Amino acid sequence: MIVLGIESSCDETAAAVVRDGKMLSNVIATQIKDHSAFGGVVPEIASRKHLEAISPVIERALADAKLTLNGIEGIAVTRGPGLVGSLLVGLSTAKALAYALGIPLAGVNHIEGHVMASFLSDEKPQFPFIALVVSGGHTNVYLVNDYHQFCRLGQTRDDAAGEALDKAARLLGLGYPGGVIIDKLSVNGNPEAYDFPRAMKDSSDFSFSGLKTSLLNMLKKRGRPFSDDELPDVAASYQEAIVDVLVRKTVREGLVHNIRQLVVCGGVAANSRLRHRFTEAARAEGMDLFIPPMVLCTDNAAMIAVLGEIILKNRGGDALDLNAVSRWPLVDCRP
Ligand code: KG4
Ligand code: ZN
């Protein structure tokens, strides 16, 4: 089946074509420069930029896949969670295309999409597996028993890991989006130079707001910003505190539930230190690790299309009165 995927839940307008689980094209128009002056995503600007980008991005995705609209057999679109004004741009476009072409539409969950990005690789995880979804809005660990069968084992009680990186970058005057900047800066820093807290060590849940506060207190105590020479060490130590808990707790869930396959996904899974530490930890425990390539970790439509294809094959399409949802927790079950 040939599926066109559309994603517009936050600040990336994306379209991709997937055929039988293989990616034929993957186009992403990012709005980073439109929001950077504000230090974060401005919902009203995001919706307007999605409107400008959506048609050219879809045309490009079709052209890259060497197809026209008539070659598409189904449409998959992110229905939530996300910014409703942004989601509606993708959803309305998807509905219009599905109606005009007379093909089925699947409204899919963005978080489930992140997990399914790992199914675009030749080496696919087998159910059941442990999945860490770590992004700007989410830090969740799931036991995934099957398609759509997600048991949440842990979640953040406050900030998401990506949010903690973005907020730290803002405090340090590094700009937006913070995760990428901190990742680059940390390459030349010492992760043990500063001692940042690792909260809730024994819990399956996460908490990152205390980490951010400890950086803020450190800055207040100093009374002056960190110098260019000091910044790599601060960034590397702060990043390490986040990576440490993410790796430790995810691996621990694998051991507790006797599951030897780990999937790590979402924007923060693009982090080079996180990828390195997970690779080392999985090797040490004899676990199989699945982390999508970086371009499929941050928001993209290929992950939406691959999930949409599964949904369309298994349960058919949604009605065209489908609405966007800002919050949409994955189906919960007992581990
Ligand atoms: O999945 P995503 O693109 O959007 C959401 O669904 O939230 O994730 C965005 C988050 C941001 O917080 C961003 O700073 C972070 O992912 N991020 C990174 C890296 N690239 C993106 N964090 C750490 N290292 C990176 N290389
Ligand atoms: Zn995302």
Side-chain angles (χ1 to χ4, degrees):
M1 185 174 198
I2 302 180
V3 175
L4 171 69
I6 298 174
E7 152 67 37
S8 68
S9 65
C10 191
D11 60 346
E12 258 105 34
T13 321
V17 180
V18 162
R19 178 172 54 208
D20 299 331
K22 294 253 181 282
M23 189 170 81
L24 301 185
S25 64
N26 187 34
V27 178
I28 303 164
T30 180
Q31 303 176 359
I32 284 177
K33 66 173 177 19
D34 301 302
H35 300 285
S36 57
F38 304 96
V41 178
V42 183
E44 178 62 22
I45 295 178
S47 315
R48 286 170 189 273
K49 290 290 159 187
H50 283 307
L51 269 176
E52 286 171 21
I54 193 100
S55 295
V57 163
I58 291 173
E59 278 165 19
R60 176 75 194 282
L62 290 168
D64 286 0
K66 303 193 171 38
L67 287 168
T68 62
L69 275 176
N70 290 328
I72 301 297
E73 296 167 300
I75 309 259
V77 62
T78 305
R79 188 189 160 208
L83 303 168
V84 168
S86 292
L87 288 164
L88 282 172
V89 176
L91 189 60
S92 314
T93 308
K95 284 183 192 177
L97 286 172
Y99 180 68
L101 296 167
I103 57 176
L105 168 84
V108 314
N109 184 301
H110 180 85
I111 304 304
E112 191 172 4
H114 272 303
V115 175
M116 295 309 293
S118 54
F119 282 69
L120 284 162
S121 301
D122 290 339
E123 300 268 309
K124 296 178 188 25
Q126 308 273 321
F127 298 110
F129 55 79
I130 300 288
L132 169 69
V133 184
V134 65
S135 71
H138 299 268
T139 305
N140 295 339
V141 181
Y142 299 98
L143 167 58
V144 186
N145 280 320
D146 205 339
Y147 298 121
H148 321 308
Q149 296 297 312
F150 285 68
C151 311
R152 196 178 58 211
L153 305 173
Q155 63 178 326
T156 182
R157 301 260 180 106
D158 39 58
D159 292 349
E163 194 180 351
L165 288 165
D166 295 341
K167 285 179 175 171
R170 209 174 308 156
L171 287 173
L172 294 169
L174 297 173
Y176 165 87
V180 192
I181 301 170
I182 288 185
D183 188 354
K184 284 197 184 127
L185 204 54
S186 300
V187 172
N188 300 313
N190 172 7
E192 287 167 15
Y194 296 87
D195 190 20
F196 285 106
R198 274 81 166 151
M200 303 182 69
K201 277 202 178 91
D202 300 321
S203 166
S204 294
D205 282 345
F206 301 88
S207 166
F208 296 111
S209 70
L211 175 63
K212 174 197 63 194
T213 308
S214 76
L215 176 63
L216 184 63
N217 289 342
M218 194 184 270
L219 279 162
K220 278 188 185 154
K221 211 162 144 194
R222 285 167 57 90
R224 64 192 156 82
F226 288 103
S227 69
D228 286 352
D229 288 343
E230 291 166 317
L231 276 173
D233 283 352
V234 182
S237 303
Y238 187 91
Q239 174 182 272
E240 197 72 3
I242 295 177
V243 168
D244 240 12
V245 287
L246 292 175
V247 172
R248 195 166 347 123
K249 292 188 182 202
T250 308
V251 170
R252 190 169 64 200
E253 293 301 344
L255 295 172
V256 166
H257 295 276
N258 197 22
I259 289 181
R260 314 217 62 84
Q261 295 195 81
L262 304 179
V263 168
V264 182
C265 58
V268 180
N271 184 271
S272 56
R273 183 72 181 161
L274 186 83
R275 297 171 84 91
H276 174 73
R277 289 280 312 274
F278 259 112
T279 306
E280 279 189 335
R283 191 180 302 135
E285 297 294 346
M287 293 177 172
D288 295 327
L289 177 68
F290 302 85
I291 311 186
M294 273 156 74
V295 69
L296 296 176
C297 286
T298 45
D299 288 348
N300 66 86
M303 67 186 196
I304 303 304
V306 76
L307 172 56
E309 188 184 354
I310 291 163
I311 291 174
L312 290 174
K313 281 179 176 164
N314 290 348
R315 72 152 165 77
D318 288 305
L320 290 182
D321 61 357
L322 194 70
N323 211 346
V325 281
S326 61
R327 297 174 69 82
W328 184 4
L330 289 171
V331 178
D332 231 350
C333 56
R334 293 200 168 276

PDB file of all heavy atoms in Angstrom, residues 164-188:
ATOM      1  N   ALA A 164      13.629  20.383  29.427  1.00  0.00           N
ATOM      2  CA  ALA A 164      14.700  20.693  30.388  1.00  0.00           C
ATOM      3  C   ALA A 164      15.950  21.171  29.647  1.00  0.00           C
ATOM      4  O   ALA A 164      16.646  22.078  30.117  1.00  0.00           O
ATOM      5  CB  ALA A 164      15.024  19.468  31.232  1.00  0.00           C
ATOM      6  N   LEU A 165      16.216  20.588  28.483  1.00  0.00           N
ATOM      7  CA  LEU A 165      17.373  21.027  27.687  1.00  0.00           C
ATOM      8  C   LEU A 165      17.103  22.412  27.094  1.00  0.00           C
ATOM      9  O   LEU A 165      17.968  23.291  27.114  1.00  0.00           O
ATOM     10  CB  LEU A 165      17.658  20.020  26.566  1.00  0.00           C
ATOM     11  CG  LEU A 165      18.248  18.684  27.014  1.00  0.00           C
ATOM     12  CD1 LEU A 165      18.147  17.642  25.910  1.00  0.00           C
ATOM     13  CD2 LEU A 165      19.713  18.857  27.437  1.00  0.00           C
ATOM     14  N   ASP A 166      15.888  22.599  26.570  1.00  0.00           N
ATOM     15  CA  ASP A 166      15.547  23.892  25.946  1.00  0.00           C
ATOM     16  C   ASP A 166      15.566  25.021  26.981  1.00  0.00           C
ATOM     17  O   ASP A 166      16.056  26.123  26.714  1.00  0.00           O
ATOM     18  CB  ASP A 166      14.167  23.811  25.271  1.00  0.00           C
ATOM     19  CG  ASP A 166      14.158  22.841  24.094  1.00  0.00           C
ATOM     20  OD1 ASP A 166      15.247  22.523  23.583  1.00  0.00           O
ATOM     21  OD2 ASP A 166      13.067  22.394  23.691  1.00  0.00           O
ATOM     22  N   LYS A 167      15.058  24.740  28.198  1.00  0.00           N
ATOM     23  CA  LYS A 167      15.027  25.775  29.239  1.00  0.00           C
ATOM     24  C   LYS A 167      16.436  26.104  29.722  1.00  0.00           C
ATOM     25  O   LYS A 167      16.758  27.262  29.988  1.00  0.00           O
ATOM     26  CB  LYS A 167      14.154  25.325  30.416  1.00  0.00           C
ATOM     27  CG  LYS A 167      12.669  25.415  30.092  1.00  0.00           C
ATOM     28  CD  LYS A 167      11.815  24.935  31.251  1.00  0.00           C
ATOM     29  CE  LYS A 167      10.331  25.138  30.957  1.00  0.00           C
ATOM     30  NZ  LYS A 167       9.474  24.486  31.959  1.00  0.00           N
ATOM     31  N   ALA A 168      17.292  25.085  29.826  1.00  0.00           N
ATOM     32  CA  ALA A 168      18.675  25.327  30.259  1.00  0.00           C
ATOM     33  C   ALA A 168      19.390  26.203  29.232  1.00  0.00           C
ATOM     34  O   ALA A 168      20.118  27.136  29.587  1.00  0.00           O
ATOM     35  CB  ALA A 168      19.413  24.003  30.428  1.00  0.00           C
ATOM     36  N   ALA A 169      19.162  25.903  27.951  1.00  0.00           N
ATOM     37  CA  ALA A 169      19.817  26.689  26.899  1.00  0.00           C
ATOM     38  C   ALA A 169      19.391  28.153  26.983  1.00  0.00           C
ATOM     39  O   ALA A 169      20.189  29.067  26.796  1.00  0.00           O
ATOM     40  CB  ALA A 169      19.476  26.108  25.529  1.00  0.00           C
ATOM     41  N   ARG A 170      18.119  28.352  27.326  1.00  0.00           N
ATOM     42  CA  ARG A 170      17.619  29.722  27.455  1.00  0.00           C
ATOM     43  C   ARG A 170      18.293  30.407  28.648  1.00  0.00           C
ATOM     44  O   ARG A 170      18.741  31.552  28.547  1.00  0.00           O
ATOM     45  CB  ARG A 170      16.099  29.701  27.648  1.00  0.00           C
ATOM     46  CG  ARG A 170      15.425  30.941  27.112  1.00  0.00           C
ATOM     47  CD  ARG A 170      13.907  30.840  27.190  1.00  0.00           C
ATOM     48  NE  ARG A 170      13.397  29.622  26.573  1.00  0.00           N
ATOM     49  CZ  ARG A 170      12.220  29.060  26.881  1.00  0.00           C
ATOM     50  NH1 ARG A 170      11.454  29.583  27.804  1.00  0.00           N
ATOM     51  NH2 ARG A 170      11.810  27.972  26.272  1.00  0.00           N
ATOM     52  N   LEU A 171      18.395  29.689  29.787  1.00  0.00           N
ATOM     53  CA  LEU A 171      19.048  30.267  30.979  1.00  0.00           C
ATOM     54  C   LEU A 171      20.510  30.610  30.692  1.00  0.00           C
ATOM     55  O   LEU A 171      21.053  31.581  31.205  1.00  0.00           O
ATOM     56  CB  LEU A 171      18.987  29.273  32.152  1.00  0.00           C
ATOM     57  CG  LEU A 171      17.631  29.059  32.831  1.00  0.00           C
ATOM     58  CD1 LEU A 171      17.721  27.929  33.858  1.00  0.00           C
ATOM     59  CD2 LEU A 171      17.174  30.348  33.526  1.00  0.00           C
ATOM     60  N   LEU A 172      21.132  29.780  29.854  1.00  0.00           N
ATOM     61  CA  LEU A 172      22.557  29.987  29.562  1.00  0.00           C
ATOM     62  C   LEU A 172      22.763  30.959  28.401  1.00  0.00           C
ATOM     63  O   LEU A 172      23.902  31.234  28.007  1.00  0.00           O
ATOM     64  CB  LEU A 172      23.218  28.638  29.234  1.00  0.00           C
ATOM     65  CG  LEU A 172      23.287  27.620  30.388  1.00  0.00           C
ATOM     66  CD1 LEU A 172      23.707  26.244  29.881  1.00  0.00           C
ATOM     67  CD2 LEU A 172      24.253  28.103  31.484  1.00  0.00           C
ATOM     68  N   GLY A 173      21.657  31.454  27.845  1.00  0.00           N
ATOM     69  CA  GLY A 173      21.750  32.414  26.736  1.00  0.00           C
ATOM     70  C   GLY A 173      22.259  31.787  25.451  1.00  0.00           C
ATOM     71  O   GLY A 173      22.925  32.439  24.638  1.00  0.00           O
ATOM     72  N   LEU A 174      21.922  30.495  25.250  1.00  0.00           N
ATOM     73  CA  LEU A 174      22.469  29.788  24.080  1.00  0.00           C
ATOM     74  C   LEU A 174      21.549  29.806  22.882  1.00  0.00           C
ATOM     75  O   LEU A 174      21.957  29.457  21.767  1.00  0.00           O
ATOM     76  CB  LEU A 174      22.752  28.317  24.457  1.00  0.00           C
ATOM     77  CG  LEU A 174      23.809  28.097  25.536  1.00  0.00           C
ATOM     78  CD1 LEU A 174      23.863  26.625  25.917  1.00  0.00           C
ATOM     79  CD2 LEU A 174      25.170  28.563  25.041  1.00  0.00           C
ATOM     80  N   GLY A 175      20.285  30.157  23.063  1.00  0.00           N
ATOM     81  CA  GLY A 175      19.350  30.196  21.935  1.00  0.00           C
ATOM     82  C   GLY A 175      18.429  28.998  21.882  1.00  0.00           C
ATOM     83  O   GLY A 175      18.354  28.198  22.817  1.00  0.00           O
ATOM     84  N   TYR A 176      17.733  28.871  20.753  1.00  0.00           N
ATOM     85  CA  TYR A 176      16.665  27.881  20.584  1.00  0.00           C
ATOM     86  C   TYR A 176      16.848  27.182  19.243  1.00  0.00           C
ATOM     87  O   TYR A 176      17.257  27.836  18.273  1.00  0.00           O
ATOM     88  CB  TYR A 176      15.316  28.614  20.629  1.00  0.00           C
ATOM     89  CG  TYR A 176      14.149  27.812  20.127  1.00  0.00           C
ATOM     90  CD1 TYR A 176      13.442  26.976  20.977  1.00  0.00           C
ATOM     91  CD2 TYR A 176      13.758  27.889  18.785  1.00  0.00           C
ATOM     92  CE1 TYR A 176      12.375  26.240  20.508  1.00  0.00           C
ATOM     93  CE2 TYR A 176      12.691  27.149  18.308  1.00  0.00           C
ATOM     94  CZ  TYR A 176      12.005  26.334  19.176  1.00  0.00           C
ATOM     95  OH  TYR A 176      10.964  25.596  18.716  1.00  0.00           O
ATOM     96  N   PRO A 177      16.605  25.878  19.112  1.00  0.00           N
ATOM     97  CA  PRO A 177      16.185  24.958  20.158  1.00  0.00           C
ATOM     98  C   PRO A 177      17.382  24.431  20.936  1.00  0.00           C
ATOM     99  O   PRO A 177      18.405  24.060  20.371  1.00  0.00           O
ATOM    100  CB  PRO A 177      15.496  23.843  19.380  1.00  0.00           C
ATOM    101  CG  PRO A 177      16.165  23.845  18.044  1.00  0.00           C
ATOM    102  CD  PRO A 177      16.674  25.235  17.796  1.00  0.00           C
ATOM    103  N   GLY A 178      17.215  24.403  22.247  1.00  0.00           N
ATOM    104  CA  GLY A 178      18.336  24.155  23.137  1.00  0.00           C
ATOM    105  C   GLY A 178      18.976  22.792  23.031  1.00  0.00           C
ATOM    106  O   GLY A 178      20.190  22.660  23.183  1.00  0.00           O
ATOM    107  N   GLY A 179      18.168  21.759  22.768  1.00  0.00           N
ATOM    108  CA  GLY A 179      18.699  20.396  22.755  1.00  0.00           C
ATOM    109  C   GLY A 179      19.873  20.239  21.799  1.00  0.00           C
ATOM    110  O   GLY A 179      20.921  19.703  22.169  1.00  0.00           O
ATOM    111  N   VAL A 180      19.706  20.728  20.597  1.00  0.00           N
ATOM    112  CA  VAL A 180      20.759  20.585  19.577  1.00  0.00           C
ATOM    113  C   VAL A 180      21.994  21.391  19.969  1.00  0.00           C
ATOM    114  O   VAL A 180      23.131  20.920  19.821  1.00  0.00           O
ATOM    115  CB  VAL A 180      20.252  21.094  18.204  1.00  0.00           C
ATOM    116  CG1 VAL A 180      21.192  20.704  17.093  1.00  0.00           C
ATOM    117  CG2 VAL A 180      18.852  20.631  17.927  1.00  0.00           C
ATOM    118  N   ILE A 181      21.767  22.604  20.489  1.00  0.00           N
ATOM    119  CA  ILE A 181      22.893  23.484  20.840  1.00  0.00           C
ATOM    120  C   ILE A 181      23.690  22.863  21.995  1.00  0.00           C
ATOM    121  O   ILE A 181      24.927  22.809  21.961  1.00  0.00           O
ATOM    122  CB  ILE A 181      22.381  24.893  21.221  1.00  0.00           C
ATOM    123  CG1 ILE A 181      21.591  25.495  20.050  1.00  0.00           C
ATOM    124  CG2 ILE A 181      23.534  25.804  21.616  1.00  0.00           C
ATOM    125  CD1 ILE A 181      20.847  26.773  20.373  1.00  0.00           C
ATOM    126  N   ILE A 182      22.970  22.355  23.002  1.00  0.00           N
ATOM    127  CA  ILE A 182      23.649  21.742  24.156  1.00  0.00           C
ATOM    128  C   ILE A 182      24.399  20.490  23.710  1.00  0.00           C
ATOM    129  O   ILE A 182      25.527  20.226  24.145  1.00  0.00           O
ATOM    130  CB  ILE A 182      22.628  21.454  25.284  1.00  0.00           C
ATOM    131  CG1 ILE A 182      22.220  22.786  25.909  1.00  0.00           C
ATOM    132  CG2 ILE A 182      23.204  20.488  26.337  1.00  0.00           C
ATOM    133  CD1 ILE A 182      21.323  22.715  27.114  1.00  0.00           C
ATOM    134  N   ASP A 183      23.805  19.727  22.811  1.00  0.00           N
ATOM    135  CA  ASP A 183      24.458  18.525  22.269  1.00  0.00           C
ATOM    136  C   ASP A 183      25.810  18.907  21.640  1.00  0.00           C
ATOM    137  O   ASP A 183      26.861  18.330  21.975  1.00  0.00           O
ATOM    138  CB  ASP A 183      23.523  17.899  21.217  1.00  0.00           C
ATOM    139  CG  ASP A 183      23.994  16.540  20.715  1.00  0.00           C
ATOM    140  OD1 ASP A 183      25.106  16.127  21.092  1.00  0.00           O
ATOM    141  OD2 ASP A 183      23.254  15.902  19.948  1.00  0.00           O
ATOM    142  N   LYS A 184      25.804  19.922  20.778  1.00  0.00           N
ATOM    143  CA  LYS A 184      27.039  20.331  20.065  1.00  0.00           C
ATOM    144  C   LYS A 184      28.087  20.862  21.031  1.00  0.00           C
ATOM    145  O   LYS A 184      29.269  20.523  20.945  1.00  0.00           O
ATOM    146  CB  LYS A 184      26.705  21.417  19.032  1.00  0.00           C
ATOM    147  CG  LYS A 184      26.020  20.849  17.802  1.00  0.00           C
ATOM    148  CD  LYS A 184      26.077  21.838  16.654  1.00  0.00           C
ATOM    149  CE  LYS A 184      25.296  21.282  15.467  1.00  0.00           C
ATOM    150  NZ  LYS A 184      24.296  22.203  14.959  1.00  0.00           N
ATOM    151  N   LEU A 185      27.630  21.703  21.964  1.00  0.00           N
ATOM    152  CA  LEU A 185      28.548  22.329  22.917  1.00  0.00           C
ATOM    153  C   LEU A 185      29.190  21.270  23.828  1.00  0.00           C
ATOM    154  O   LEU A 185      30.364  21.372  24.200  1.00  0.00           O
ATOM    155  CB  LEU A 185      27.726  23.313  23.762  1.00  0.00           C
ATOM    156  CG  LEU A 185      28.401  24.484  24.438  1.00  0.00           C
ATOM    157  CD1 LEU A 185      29.185  25.317  23.435  1.00  0.00           C
ATOM    158  CD2 LEU A 185      27.328  25.370  25.089  1.00  0.00           C
ATOM    159  N   SER A 186      28.411  20.248  24.173  1.00  0.00           N
ATOM    160  CA  SER A 186      28.861  19.242  25.135  1.00  0.00           C
ATOM    161  C   SER A 186      29.981  18.358  24.597  1.00  0.00           C
ATOM    162  O   SER A 186      30.703  17.734  25.374  1.00  0.00           O
ATOM    163  CB  SER A 186      27.696  18.331  25.531  1.00  0.00           C
ATOM    164  OG  SER A 186      26.681  19.093  26.110  1.00  0.00           O
ATOM    165  N   VAL A 187      30.098  18.300  23.270  1.00  0.00           N
ATOM    166  CA  VAL A 187      31.115  17.435  22.666  1.00  0.00           C
ATOM    167  C   VAL A 187      32.505  17.810  23.209  1.00  0.00           C
ATOM    168  O   VAL A 187      33.355  16.954  23.427  1.00  0.00           O
ATOM    169  CB  VAL A 187      31.064  17.548  21.115  1.00  0.00           C
ATOM    170  CG1 VAL A 187      32.224  16.829  20.469  1.00  0.00           C
ATOM    171  CG2 VAL A 187      29.732  16.998  20.602  1.00  0.00           C
ATOM    172  N   ASN A 188      32.710  19.113  23.483  1.00  0.00           N
ATOM    173  CA  ASN A 188      34.010  19.561  23.988  1.00  0.00           C
ATOM    174  C   ASN A 188      34.015  19.808  25.494  1.00  0.00           C
ATOM    175  O   ASN A 188      34.903  20.470  26.017  1.00  0.00           O
ATOM    176  CB  ASN A 188      34.436  20.855  23.280  1.00  0.00           C
ATOM    177  CG  ASN A 188      34.555  20.646  21.788  1.00  0.00           C
ATOM    178  OD1 ASN A 188      35.153  19.667  21.336  1.00  0.00           O
ATOM    179  ND2 ASN A 188      33.944  21.532  21.007  1.00  0.00           N
TER     180      ASN A 188
END
